[in-house]
Amino acid sequence: MTGTTKGTKGTKRTKRSRAGALRAAALVGCAALALSACGSTKDTAAGAGGGGGGGDGKGKVGVILPLLTSPFWQSYNDYVPKMAKSEGVDALKTVNSNSDPSQQITDINNQLNQGVKGLVVAPLDSAAIAAGLDQAERKGVPVVAVDVAPEKGKVAMVVRANNVAYGEKACAYLGKQVTSGKVVQIMGDLASVNGRERSKAFRDCVKQKYPKLKVLEIPAKWESDTAASKLDTLLNANPDIKGIYLQAGGVYLAPTLQTLKSKGLLKKAGTAGHITIVSNDGIPQEFDAIRKGQIDATVSQPADAYAKYGMYYIKAAMRGKTFKPGPTDHDSEIVKLPSGILEDQLPAPLVTKDNVDDPKLWGNTVK
């Protein structure tokens, strides 16, 4: 009896101590939650909009373009409303930043002030875009980056092809066609990770695999006039150029062909004096140039898939869905970039005269 009484008291004391421990743990948890809420940069009113926390995926989505002077971006712009509809995304009319990184930040802020619940942005400048991304994070609005990966800032996903592979594919094709001599790469904007990656990949590949080639470089900032002017000057000093790599056919193709023609250097593929040309983009104009023998190849950057998966990932982000590195169900690979950002690297095939008429290529499906 005495032993039982002591045991009961001991049991009561044990229950009380356990209850106290639970209360203490709960207080610690509440304190932690309070601290994390104080440190948050998100507006409290934005949480219910699906800004990254299990929303319903509904709400307006802003779509910001870098420019519309390139046939590639014109095609992407045409795909956006079609892909938004197929993915069930309520996308606003696209906004064109006109090749101005500061204007792009203003465009992002304007869209946020309109109350969008998601943003799909094609950054002009990999570093400058961080200011816009910070604004979106403060509003609790998820962002998907298309074509260009930001150097820092929060995005739900980058939808992009492997730009290192662009430079390597162009190098491999030129290296097989041109055994020695001078080749030119007309580079993109080196403020963009795309321009840097394509340039370095091409340069490194030539150095390692085709040492008899000499690379001459033209920084052109995705500007057609700059490309034409600098190519003209370079050809005056180097009329023996044997190959050219255009990092963006959408802006560089026409001025390059015009410059070569004006100097009597535009010779059909297979004829004496032909300058081998490899481009990037996969626009219909490049395909026509391949068929005519004016250029030899292009890497098809998937404008249709950029629009489709930009919409797919922003809808997922608005619902609070997250992803992990690994293969996807659409023949691509999600990788983690050094910045920690996830990137869905979509396939970008090399197009030559052998496959230029493939109906599966997006460049053959648009006018």
Side-chain angles (χ1 to χ4, degrees), residues 333-348:
E333 181 91 7
I334 295 177
V335 300
K336 180 176 282 189
L337 302 178
S339 61
I341 294 172
L342 293 181
E343 176 176 290
D344 188 352
Q345 294 189 337
L346 302 172

Side-chain angles (χ1 to χ4, degrees), residues 91-329:
L92 296 174
K93 183 179 179 181
T94 58
V95 176
N96 175 18
S97 297
N98 286 309
S99 301
D100 185 344
S102 61
Q103 179 60 46
Q104 192 162 68
I105 304 306
T106 299
D107 292 337
I108 289 173
N109 286 328
N110 288 341
Q111 294 283 287
L112 292 171
N113 289 336
Q114 290 181 41
V116 296
K117 301 303 181 183
L119 279 170
V120 178
V121 181
L124 280 160
D125 186 306
S126 298
I129 195 63
L133 298 179
D134 289 346
Q135 291 289 340
E137 186 178 8
R138 278 193 283 272
K139 293 286 187 180
V141 174
V143 180
V144 168
V146 171
D147 182 57
V148 173
E151 290 181 5
K152 59 182 179 179
K154 183 177 180 180
V155 295
M157 182 68 71
V158 178
V159 177
R160 182 171 173 253
N162 185 341
N163 279 248
V164 171
Y166 286 3
E168 291 173 345
K169 288 178 180 180
C171 161
Y173 188 89
L174 275 177
K176 291 176 182 177
Q177 306 299 318
V178 182
T179 56
S180 63
K182 301 172 184 176
V183 297
V184 181
Q185 68 162 331
I186 303 181
M187 302 185 289
D189 192 343
L190 299 181
S192 159
V193 67
N194 289 10
R196 293 197 299 271
E197 287 186 353
R198 296 178 199 185
S199 300
K200 185 177 186 302
F202 182 81
R203 189 185 306 127
D204 291 350
C205 171
V206 169
K207 183 178 180 180
Q208 294 168 10
K209 297 182 178 180
Y210 306 102
K212 292 183 179 180
L213 296 181
K214 181 181 179 180
V215 179
L216 306 178
E217 299 184 335
I218 296 176
K221 298 183 179 180
W222 314 124
E223 297 170 353
S224 58
D225 291 346
T226 301
S229 174
K230 291 188 175 182
L231 179 60
D232 184 80
T233 300
L234 185 144
L235 288 171
N236 288 337
N238 302 274
D240 54 344
I241 292 297
K242 293 184 177 180
I244 301 176
Y245 167 39
L246 309 176
Q247 288 190 8
V251 289
Y252 297 154
L253 177 67
T256 296
L257 296 181
Q258 290 167 2
T259 301
L260 292 177
K261 184 177 181 180
S262 70
K263 293 183 174 298
L265 296 174
L266 186 60
K267 307 292 179 65
K268 189 174 181 178
T271 64
H274 171 69
I275 295 175
T276 302
I277 301 176
V278 184
S279 190
N280 277 168
D281 270 351
I283 58 176
Q285 291 88 336
E286 288 171 309
F287 290 2
D288 288 342
I290 290 173
R291 294 183 184 105
K292 294 175 181 176
Q294 295 174 327
I295 72 171
D296 301 80
T298 186
V299 180
S300 179
Q301 186 170 220
D304 55 345
Y306 278 8
K308 176 179 176 63
Y309 290 104
M311 295 301 146
Y312 168 80
Y313 282 115
I314 196 60
K315 185 174 182 178
M318 290 163 66
R319 288 177 168 174
K321 184 176 180 180
T322 58
F323 298 85
K324 295 180 180 180
T328 71
D329 60 0

Side-chain angles (χ1 to χ4, degrees), residues 339-361:
S339 61
I341 294 172
L342 293 181
E343 176 176 290
D344 188 352
Q345 294 189 337
L346 302 172
L350 181 72
V351 181
T352 67
K353 62 180 181 180
D354 295 330
N355 64 336
V356 69
D357 294 320
D358 185 345
K360 294 180 182 179
L361 295 168

